Amino acid sequence: TRIGVVEAIWGEHKTIEQISEILKKYQLECETALVTRLTKEKGQKLLVEFPSAEFHEISGCLTLGEFKECTSSKEEVIILTGGTSDVGVASEAEIALNFHGIKTKLLIDVGVAGLHRLLDRIEEIKLSKVVIACAGMEGALPTVLAGLIPQPIIGLPISVGYGISGGGKTALEGMLASCAPGLVVVNIDNGYGAAMAAMRILST
Amino acid sequence: TRIGVVEAIWGEHKTIEQISEILKKYQLECETALVTRLTKEKGQKLLVEFPSAEFHEISGCLTLGEFKECTSSKEEVIILTGGTSDVGVASEAEIALNFHGIKTKLLIDVGVAGLHRLLDRIEEIKLSKVVIACAGMEGALPTVLAGLIPQPIIGLPISVGYGISGGGKTALEGMLASCAPGLVVVNIDNGYGAAMAAMRILST
Amino acid sequence: TRIGVVEAIWGEHKTIEQISEILKKYQLECETALVTRLTKEKGQKLLVEFPSAEFHEISGCLTLGEFKECTSSKEEVIILTGGTSDVGVASEAEIALNFHGIKTKLLIDVGVAGLHRLLDRIEEIKLSKVVIACAGMEGALPTVLAGLIPQPIIGLPISVGYGISGGGKTALEGMLASCAPGLVVVNIDNGYGAAMAAMRILST
Amino acid sequence: TRIGVVEAIWGEHKTIEQISEILKKYQLECETALVTRLTKEKGQKLLVEFPSAEFHEISGCLTLGEFKECTSSKEEVIILTGGTSDVGVASEAEIALNFHGIKTKLLIDVGVAGLHRLLDRIEEIKLSKVVIACAGMEGALPTVLAGLIPQPIIGLPISVGYGISGGGKTALEGMLASCAPGLVVVNIDNGYGAAMAAMRILST
Amino acid sequence: TRIGVVEAIWGEHKTIEQISEILKKYQLECETALVTRLTKEKGQKLLVEFPSAEFHEISGCLTLGEFKECTSSKEEVIILTGGTSDVGVASEAEIALNFHGIKTKLLIDVGVAGLHRLLDRIEEIKLSKVVIACAGMEGALPTVLAGLIPQPIIGLPISVGYGISGGGKTALEGMLASCAPGLVVVNIDNGYGAAMAAMRILST
Amino acid sequence: TRIGVVEAIWGEHKTIEQISEILKKYQLECETALVTRLTKEKGQKLLVEFPSAEFHEISGCLTLGEFKECTSSKEEVIILTGGTSDVGVASEAEIALNFHGIKTKLLIDVGVAGLHRLLDRIEEIKLSKVVIACAGMEGALPTVLAGLIPQPIIGLPISVGYGISGGGKTALEGMLASCAPGLVVVNIDNGYGAAMAAMRILST
Amino acid sequence: TRIGVVEAIWGEHKTIEQISEILKKYQLECETALVTRLTKEKGQKLLVEFPSAEFHEISGCLTLGEFKECTSSKEEVIILTGGTSDVGVASEAEIALNFHGIKTKLLIDVGVAGLHRLLDRIEEIKLSKVVIACAGMEGALPTVLAGLIPQPIIGLPISVGYGISGGGKTALEGMLASCAPGLVVVNIDNGYGAAMAAMRILST
Amino acid sequence: TRIGVVEAIWGEHKTIEQISEILKKYQLECETALVTRLTKEKGQKLLVEFPSAEFHEISGCLTLGEFKECTSSKEEVIILTGGTSDVGVASEAEIALNFHGIKTKLLIDVGVAGLHRLLDRIEEIKLSKVVIACAGMEGALPTVLAGLIPQPIIGLPISVGYGISGGGKTALEGMLASCAPGLVVVNIDNGYGAAMAAMRILST
Ligand SMILES: Nc1ncnc2c1ncn2[C@@H]1O[C@H](COP(=O)(O)O)[C@@H](O)[C@H]1O
Ligand SMILES: Nc1ncnc2c1ncn2[C@@H]1O[C@H](COP(=O)(O)O)[C@@H](O)[C@H]1O
Ligand SMILES: Nc1ncnc2c1ncn2[C@@H]1O[C@H](COP(=O)(O)O)[C@@H](O)[C@H]1O
Ligand SMILES: Nc1ncnc2c1ncn2[C@@H]1O[C@H](COP(=O)(O)O)[C@@H](O)[C@H]1O
Ligand SMILES: [Mg+2]
Ligand SMILES: [Mg+2]
Ligand SMILES: [Mg+2]
Ligand SMILES: [Mg+2]
Ligand SMILES: [Mg+2]
Ligand SMILES: [Mg+2]
Ligand SMILES: [Mg+2]
Ligand SMILES: [Mg+2]
């Protein structure tokens, strides 16, 4: 919280016991909490112990405590995805932002293989302050976007693919290698990190 | 020649002596020859020994014997490049095709970071039978193209880049991982191979 | 469909709910659909919801709507595999082509470790317009083939192997590195992509 | 310029002739230009042809035309480096920003192996709007920084190191893997890209 | 035992039968034994056969025979972890040391993203003879530590992370690439190895 | 010599001074010596100091002392190469064998892209006791060969190629992944090692 | 069989149906068969259909038909393993050799971390004609051995390890990189391949 | 100096100007200095400017100011190398230790391919307090050593090798993967780091 963000608890490599112990400490100090990367099973078990919490199945996030109120009237961050398979991670970014009171909009399935779908939405996209662009496979979406709009664009590579693109490394490296100027990138599937980067930008 | 192509001699890892010995054999059998991947220095030394040959500096190719006559009246293969730095390899593909009597057209600097430049030429590109799309860095050009035109597209990754994109592997993997259907790929900087693939396709 | 192909839905990283939602949209618009990379379990659950669909177990494909009628009298595309383990991916390519009305023939177990089996079929192979050559392990099949026939050959690396060849990367890189001129390659296990590449070629 | 930035010409893989041809076109259109990644030799040869240009040796950049005037009275972007060896790339970022009229400050040698040097400057760093943190070897500087300040931090990995850290990949991956929230990253040695990202952020 | 350590049995790739056969041999010779990397299931099955053994669930270790008595009055080795997820491996190191009669202390959650937590404990850490610093993700903890204290520090990379940091390779390489002088490193998750290295050092 | 071979001195990473010091020791003890991986420059400088030595330029080997006499009347080892570029390494293997008194035969340019050239020589190849098969690029030659003959075949990958095949790793991995039974492999460009393996086999 | 070996059927990526179909063909032709890399479950299902077959659980091999009779009176091939975890693969090599009538001996747990255990057996090892040396982790066993005995040594890397040694690649590369002359290597876990290589050698 | 060591200046990626500026600052403050990884050319140019400095050619180190006096009467650190090619890096470690007043001994050419040479020296090696074991290629030396002696052993991988072992990564990974307990490792060619680790150990 020293840098103004709700501490997120990374749930993937922790046992239920470890997570629940940490959450109890937060509750005692009346702090809100965000747990990420939970399986459905883990999420539901935690709900039993923390009935006031909310489990967000698509993103695998659990929130404890109220979402901060949105102050802006329109979306500040637009989150784009190349395909339907990217929705889980995009959703993690969305919840992390909404939890901090940032209004978001999610545009699904605007990948570069069907360029017109992206071009059709470009004016709408230009109205946001920050863009998070999710893409798996070759990860070309943020590159194309960065040539079309002047806003900050955060490339969010997704571990969706197979063969050479399995695990998301090709998407990650494609974004880093981008010929479009000023694209920044976060780790594969790091929806929370992309959200926090957007928050840092919004507070400048 | 069993499969109908002029045998190319790969010049990069051969000494002048090795190449010249092979060329002499070809001359004796009155065959034309194409040597690829020569430095300027090597090319010029070979010209001294084979004054009737031609050295094509940009592509590093040397041709011995006449180019086959073009029979078609318009370009059958269009070769696109993302940037000026890709011209050397694009040129290797062009010479290999021209040498076999295939008419080509080269469109430089239509990379995806400035999408309009590509969209402006799209109708012209659609008139060709086969497209060779060269790109370094993240290699997104053939992916975007494959969503726009129905022709065969050969992705030709270029070893232009630095850091994560140095050596062309990111471009190669980006093309292989492409979310656009039916894109095929050859080895990094393999202009000759892309040309031979185009020839195979044209003869179907 | 802008480029003339049935839109394929990549089923691997999507939930049943996501796939079924997409299929309903297609049904409403009376479009045929092809879903790839489904487990048996996912396929059977979708059949319950879409009883008119067909699930092709070996390839993990589901088709909704009629296969286009074949117009040609003989096979246009021959699909070769090095071994029995490659049949699943080869079958994905076959169904994708058949669904678009392209006649195919599948030749199994003609790998290079028993060269005579390949040489015995070579005249038959030469009658096709396009060849898709599947191989796992070291992936040498398309290289050997490309030295024997003048047709377009699409190398399709298969994720069959172990140790150094596990996951198909060695097969992929072997095909890209091929010393045979004009071989083109698609991503590991990308049967659908190889089929779409063949279709692009057939329509030139 | 469509997205409001001076087009940079990537000089590394271009010949003098190619660069000079592009610069002439810019001059004709009275546009300013920035060429990056030039060797001293290339830079000096271009100066002969373009005497009004400036060559910035440390960064390997050449600028043609006037720097935009700075409007802000204090530094908007602070650029930090872990060691003296990172100065070249840091300088590329600085020139790219100054050329667009953004005021910058460079803090050298504040790497994490001597933590106190960083902690001593932390209040000063907090006054900037955006931070670019350069680091080679293990690249831990931006991670430590991201735990200390709430501003946007752009991690800029440097190809300084040897053995496992040679080429900058370890620094890059360390930044992407960072346990600190909201750190964004650009390609290895991509000073220009980090600068353009900062500009995008400043204009929100 | 030739070099003075209790032989550890690496349990991960062995069957219950293989492990139990080895343990019986040890029992016959009245030697104590340490088995590492056991799943809970394997551990419990072995307890049935060896009721006098102890299974340490968090670390996945099984010990047979008495722990050596501690002779020193204060902790000789301090084991630090960046986060809660690193506790399993840290615990393997701790048990291996305690089993040999070395007193240890475990400090959890002193990662570099919250630097103050580390700085708050630094005087305490300086009292130990050897430090084992566990970290996953970017693995920066031992680097920062090595700039602050003069003791031997053993970097112990943890396979905790995802995307680029999945499997622990980024943490490992970050520690090896460290700009801090005199940091040494062991294999990913090698708690036992780090403990044995500490023992070698303590006996100098 | 404990295992019956002439000690080879690996010349690549040694200075002239280091090599010459080692050779003098050998001379004193009247032992013959073989130095490998010398540049032409290094080789010639050593000749000045050791006028009785022989420098073999193609292979970069220097021999000091007499070659052992051949006792067998026909070639025991056949060395095959895929192309002319592989001759240097093939020659290192040949000299190492000849130096130990083993008769060899070198067959150049029998790569798999022109299968008939290999098939034409197959009866001749079958007469040898051991085969060393050199190949760069995709390295398929030993795989095809291993399906045709029953002898021991040593795959010798060559660092000839570019892009994905640059440095020889693709050839190496292709040989290891081979679907042909009983092929063994040595390190890239390790002509000396392949020769010593052949010697071990011949002495069984 | 063209090269004199029983055709092995690689069972890992094949379904029960595929394997059983192949085995029936062999039975019809009265040929013996060897299936490798079967899980216990697959093996037992096949036994139901082929009651005359034998399933070898430790190695995951199934044999159909009689083992060839051993003609030699003493072991021709010695198979060494660094540890107990390597026994499965070592056993695959052993069965493949025994099935062809070659007598073998298996020496377990002679890894280099306890050098004396290896040195104690060295005279016995020297009596064999060919040695197969299995090792996981760093894979140093065959290197040490190759400096001690003059026989052909086949390095067989094992996928036993974790962290950097997980999957066996470190063992493989360590063997290829060996400073000991004339060591040859096969793919990770390729017990069958090592056996076939030994057979090729024995028949010279 | 906060942690008691002479600050080393890493010379490789710095210009003469940068190094000389840093050295002047040290001189002013009457501190001794150690510069590492200098080419002969750079070293000699610096000697002109700093005539009181010493340049150590084999190791590429430059020292400014007096070596600390040795207080111990016998060698505290023994540095072993597998071959002659490893001497440069071994020497960097030696100078760094001697400069701090630590007595060392260098044993060259005791690699594992000739095991007896190592075994002959083992009693002598056991007399030291810390061992630094340098090895290139497969890097097995420290593994074998760690099974023979109880002291702290620092594995120092060397970038000596070719093909798969080129650059030192195989040696590094082999040491990390070691089956011998308690071996610790530093970055490839990091002689200085190994020395500083030894110093940390000696001061416990
Ligand atoms: N620039 C090139 N890129 C890819 N392949 C090539 C190139 N030049 C020649 N080749 C092919 O490489 C093969 C090996 O060539 P060579 O070593 O000259 O026998 C020839 O059969 C050519 O088809
Ligand atoms: N040093 C640099 N690092 C990263 N990108 C750059 C650099 N210099 C130029 N660029 C970008 O690279 C793209 C390709 O440049 P060009 O090949 O000159 O057309 C340009 O659009 C620039 O935005
Ligand atoms: N060209 C080569 N390739 C592979 N190994 C070699 C080569 N030349 C020498 N060797 C081996 O490398 C080992 C190390 O050599 P050295 O560094 O000279 O002691 C020797 O024992 C040789 O057996
Ligand atoms: N040869 C070397 N290998 C490893 N680290 C070094 C070497 N030389 C200097 N260093 C360390 O690298 C750090 C960065 O050095 P510098 O860039 O000179 O500030 C210093 O703190 C030294 O401890
Ligand atoms: Mg996508
Ligand atoms: Mg490009
Ligand atoms: Mg296959
Ligand atoms: Mg740094
Ligand atoms: Mg951590
Ligand atoms: Mg070859
Ligand atoms: Mg082992
Ligand atoms: Mg060595």
Side-chain angles (χ1 to χ4, degrees), chain G residues 5-204:
Chain G
V5 307
V6 175
E7 286 271 350
I9 299 150
W10 188 47
E12 188 175 12
H13 286 92
K14 296 201 179 69
T15 59
I16 303 266
E17 292 71 38
Q18 288 175 326
I19 297 170
S20 117
E21 201 173 312
I22 298 174
L23 285 180
K24 276 177 202 149
K25 232 171 17 191
Y26 276 60
Q27 269 187 328
L28 271 181
E29 301 169 11
C30 295
E31 279 192 54
T32 57
L34 169 63
V35 192
T36 62
R37 299 179 75 90
L38 293 170
T39 56
K40 194 174 169 179
E41 202 203 322
K42 265 174 156 183
Q44 286 171 337
K45 285 203 185 145
L46 285 166
L47 276 190
V48 175
E49 226 176 325
F50 300 89
S52 73
E54 243 181 300
F55 179 59
H56 312 267
E57 193 178 325
I58 291 171
S59 63
C61 289
L62 181 142
T63 47
L64 189 68
E66 295 291 291
F67 277 54
K68 266 199 204 142
E69 214 173 326
C70 273
T71 50
S72 75
S73 60
K74 63 182 196 48
E75 298 83 11
E76 293 179 286
V77 180
I78 285 193
I79 304 171
L80 305 166
T81 82
T84 314
S85 318
D86 309 333
V87 166
V89 176
S91 203
E92 180 184 303
E94 197 165 37
I95 281 171
L97 284 166
N98 297 165
F99 198 52
H100 286 83
I102 312 286
K103 212 164 176 175
T104 55
K105 174 164 210 167
L106 186 59
L107 295 186
I108 292 178
D109 224 10
V110 290
V112 295
L115 200 58
H116 59 102
R117 287 181 303 212
L118 179 62
L119 297 178
D120 287 355
R121 314 298 289 264
I122 204 73
E123 291 313 315
E124 182 182 353
I125 296 169
K126 277 189 182 159
L127 296 176
S128 70
K129 291 214 182 111
V130 180
V131 175
I132 295 175
C134 308
M137 296 189 158
E138 85 301 320
L141 174 56
T143 286
V144 169
L145 204 62
L148 296 171
I149 66 169
Q151 280 96 326
I153 302 171
I154 299 164
L156 175 41
I158 308 288
S159 65
V160 153
Y162 63 94
I164 207 67
S165 63
K169 227 181 154 195
T170 297
L172 168 66
E173 295 187 351
M175 293 180 192
L176 287 166
S178 177
C179 60
L183 180 62
V184 293
V185 186
V186 296
N187 192 9
I188 298 160
D189 292 340
N190 190 2
Y192 172 71
M196 291 308 99
M199 274 191 56
R200 286 180 186 261
I201 292 171
L202 288 173
S203 69
T204 49

Side-chain angles (χ1 to χ4, degrees), chain H residues 129-148:
Chain H
K129 291 215 183 108
V130 179
V131 175
I132 295 176
C134 309
M137 296 186 157
E138 87 299 323
L141 174 56
T143 286
V144 170
L145 204 61
L148 298 170

Side-chain angles (χ1 to χ4, degrees), chain E residues 146 149 151-152 181 185 187 200, chain H residues 146 149 151 176 181 185 187 200 204:
Chain E
I149 66 170
Q151 279 96 326
V185 186
N187 192 9
R200 286 180 186 261
Chain H
I149 66 170
Q151 280 95 327
L176 286 165
V185 186
N187 192 8
R200 287 181 186 260
T204 48

Side-chain angles (χ1 to χ4, degrees), chain A residues 2-3 129 146-153 169 172-173 176 181-187 192-193 196-197 200-201 204, chain D residues 2-3 129 146-153 169 172 176 181-187 192-193 196-197 200-201 204:
Chain A
R2 169 176 296 221
I3 55 167
K129 289 210 184 116
L148 297 171
I149 67 169
Q151 280 96 325
I153 301 171
K169 225 177 155 199
L172 168 66
E173 295 187 351
L176 286 166
L183 181 61
V184 292
V185 185
V186 295
N187 192 8
Y192 171 72
M196 291 308 99
R200 286 180 185 261
I201 294 172
T204 50
Chain D
R2 169 177 296 221
I3 55 168
K129 291 213 183 113
L148 297 170
I149 66 169
Q151 280 96 326
I153 301 172
K169 225 178 155 198
L172 169 65
L176 286 165
L183 180 62
V184 293
V185 185
V186 296
N187 192 9
Y192 172 71
M196 291 307 99
R200 287 181 185 259
I201 293 171
T204 49

Side-chain angles (χ1 to χ4, degrees), chain E residues 96-107:
Chain E
L97 284 165
N98 297 166
F99 198 52
H100 285 83
I102 312 287
K103 212 164 176 177
T104 56
K105 174 165 209 169
L106 186 60
L107 295 186

Side-chain angles (χ1 to χ4, degrees), chain B residues 52-66:
Chain B
S52 73
E54 244 181 298
F55 180 61
H56 311 267
E57 192 178 324
I58 292 171
S59 62
C61 289
L62 182 142
T63 49
L64 189 67
E66 296 292 289

